Amino acid sequence: MSEVKLLVLDLDGTLLNGKKQISERNREVLLKAQNEKSLRIAIGSGRDYDYAKKVSEPLELDSHKGFLICNNGQKVYDCETQTMNEIRRITHTGGRIAMSYAELNSLEIRGSIGTEKYFHNCHEGKGKNGEEDLGYNPDTGFFDTDQDFDKIVIFTSEKYSLDDDHRVVEELRGLLGEHDDVTLVAPHVVDLVAKGVDKTSGIEWIAEHYGFEKEEILVMGDGENDLPAALKYPFSAMANSMDSVLKAASRVTLSNEEDGVAYEVERSVLKTAE
């Protein structure tokens, strides 16, 4: 493997443990790689900017010229210049299609436009945390807005199998057509994405602006929204990854509960592990 100059890290199931935290070992190893190897780190997640910024604070990305790739590649925040670069939003038409599908199938849907949050549990009227509906128009049955969305996620039932989740993805993809696309982030979690946008969109933006070659980039992840990156870049899958991701990966590291990120960085960047 070539010298790794840019490390792209998924959050949930990868960098974060089950407590949604960066372990002390992951933190120490990543800080060491940034300080000793001038490694640039990009968080590459389906999560929004606020969440990615908050949970990645222990990595001190601002002082190490890092990046935040948010909303599955839709936005890239440059920590050095403190600028947000937007690639493309989810269309409001796609939002309405997703809302209609969620209502028809009694599923929970969430969306956001900037700081404005949209939420609807079509089955029970309240979300997992007891939130009331926001932004739902009972007369139309859709998200009542003509603005394009930053993020939309649909939660399937805990009773759904992985095959059921994939059926939802394919049904939504067919309904969305040319407007938007959809990806399975994790079991029971389906994200809408702008057409032609995925995590590689954010990685490509960084590579183009900062001159990284494909061989100098290492991506780590566990969900199917990481598949485009796994098929394009050197990729290390977490041991807890979905089967399709494990099959596509260049290599496999330990699980997120075993500090798999730290192990891979020691192996591929610091060269202190086999």
Side-chain angles (χ1 to χ4, degrees):
M1 179 179 287
S2 301
E3 180 185 358
V4 178
K5 296 182 178 180
L6 175 67
L7 176 65
V8 183
L9 296 172
D10 174 52
L11 287 176
D12 301 281
T14 301
L15 178 60
L16 304 182
N17 57 27
K19 296 179 181 179
K20 303 299 182 184
Q21 297 173 341
I22 299 174
S23 71
E24 187 58 30
R25 181 160 182 257
N26 277 346
R27 175 182 177 275
E28 289 177 355
V29 170
L30 289 169
L31 287 175
K32 183 177 182 180
Q34 289 177 107
N35 290 323
E36 295 184 4
K37 298 291 185 178
S38 298
L39 179 70
R40 305 283 289 272
I41 294 176
I43 298 300
S45 176
R47 295 280 196 166
D48 62 21
Y49 166 78
D50 290 339
Y51 184 89
K53 178 74 170 176
K54 180 179 178 180
V55 299
S56 64
E57 285 179 354
L59 302 183
E60 303 174 11
L61 297 183
D62 288 351
S63 59
H64 290 96
K65 301 179 180 180
F67 308 91
L68 302 175
I69 301 172
C70 308
N71 298 352
N72 292 301
Q74 180 214 331
K75 293 184 177 183
V76 181
Y77 181 76
D78 188 325
C79 299
E80 180 182 13
T81 62
Q82 298 185 5
T83 55
M84 180 69 79
N85 305 277
E86 185 170 270
I87 297 174
R88 192 178 307 126
R89 289 186 173 189
I90 302 163
T91 67
H92 62 273
T93 301
R96 293 182 176 184
I97 292 170
M99 179 68 230
S100 180
Y101 181 88
E103 185 173 43
L104 181 64
N105 292 276
S106 299
L107 302 176
E108 181 176 323
I109 183 170
R110 295 171 183 263
S112 63
I113 303 172
T115 59
E116 189 173 2
K117 306 296 182 183
Y118 291 76
F119 158 74
H120 184 59
N121 186 322
C122 303
H123 181 55
E124 298 173 352
K126 289 190 177 183
K128 296 176 182 178
N129 301 318
E131 310 99 317
E132 298 291 345
D133 276 359
L134 301 172
Y136 177 65
N137 184 333
D139 295 327
T140 63
F142 301 126
F143 281 9
D144 188 20
T145 178
D146 290 327
Q147 298 182 65
D148 292 342
F149 285 83
D150 291 315
K151 185 169 180 63
I152 294 176
V153 56
I154 290 176
F155 296 94
T156 67
S157 169
E158 294 292 330
K159 298 177 181 178
Y160 277 35
S161 67
L162 191 58
D163 286 342
D164 291 328
D165 286 342
H166 282 128
R167 173 181 53 78
V168 170
V169 167
E170 292 307 314
E171 288 177 351
L172 274 167
R173 184 167 287 149
L175 292 170
L176 290 166
E178 63 182 15
H179 298 291
D180 296 290
D181 205 349
V182 65
T183 183
L184 184 64
V185 177
H188 315 310
V189 184
V190 178
D191 276 6
L192 263 70
V193 290
K195 197 73 172 179
V197 173
D198 55 49
K199 290 186 183 183
T200 66
S201 305
I203 299 171
E204 288 168 1
W205 185 94
I206 295 171
E208 179 181 344
H209 283 77
Y210 288 93
F212 295 112
E213 299 295 330
K214 183 171 73 171
E215 296 76 18
E216 298 172 333
I217 300 170
L218 176 62
V219 185
M220 299 185 67
D222 70 300
E224 290 191 355
N225 59 335
D226 295 304
L227 274 175
L231 296 171
K232 184 168 185 177
Y233 297 99
F235 186 91
S236 179
M238 308 303 291
N240 52 281
S241 296
M242 300 176 75
D243 287 344
S244 56
V245 179
L246 289 170
K247 292 176 181 176
S250 312
R251 59 203 307 177
V252 178
T253 186
L254 303 175
S255 75
N256 65 317
E257 297 295 344
E258 300 171 296
D259 303 321
V261 167
Y263 175 72
E264 186 60 63
V265 171
E266 289 176 332
R267 177 168 63 172
S268 299
V269 181
L270 298 173
K271 310 295 185 181
T272 58
E274 295 295 330

